[in-house]
Amino acid sequence: MKNIIAIAALAATLSLAGCGISPDQGAKTLAAMGMTDIKIGGYAWFGCSEDDTFRSNFTAIGQNGQPVSGVLCGGMFKGVTVRFD
């Protein structure tokens, strides 16, 4: 029984690896904030609320010309939240 629970937990964790923000959706959100040279990374394990199912790292150049980085957070029925490092 313990093996079944462990396998189910591992499968659930691995399935989250594909739950990132789509690069297009993330880039549009950041571009709307005036950012340029946007690079969307992979899944972000930390930085979002426990209610967020989509989490992706990003780097960009902000409106003032300085580099910025952070996490894009989102869920199935809500928009994208930008959280800066």
Side-chain angles (χ1 to χ4, degrees):
M1 185 62 155
K2 289 182 183 179
N3 289 339
I4 293 172
I5 294 172
I7 290 169
L10 179 61
T13 301
L14 291 176
S15 69
L16 289 176
C19 292
I21 298 291
S22 74
D24 290 337
Q25 183 181 11
K28 285 178 186 177
T29 301
L30 295 172
M33 297 175 70
M35 296 186 199
T36 60
D37 194 27
I38 299 164
K39 294 178 179 61
I40 307 297
Y43 186 82
W45 289 100
F46 302 103
C48 295
S49 164
E50 63 185 34
D51 297 329
D52 292 317
T53 54
F54 306 121
R55 309 158 180 224
S56 294
N57 295 310
F58 76 89
T59 59
I61 302 297
Q63 289 179 328
N64 62 359
Q66 297 294 315
V68 295
S69 63
V71 180
L72 297 166
C73 307
M76 294 298 285
F77 302 106
K78 60 189 234 179
V80 176
T81 304
V82 178
R83 296 190 180 196
F84 296 98
D85 290 339

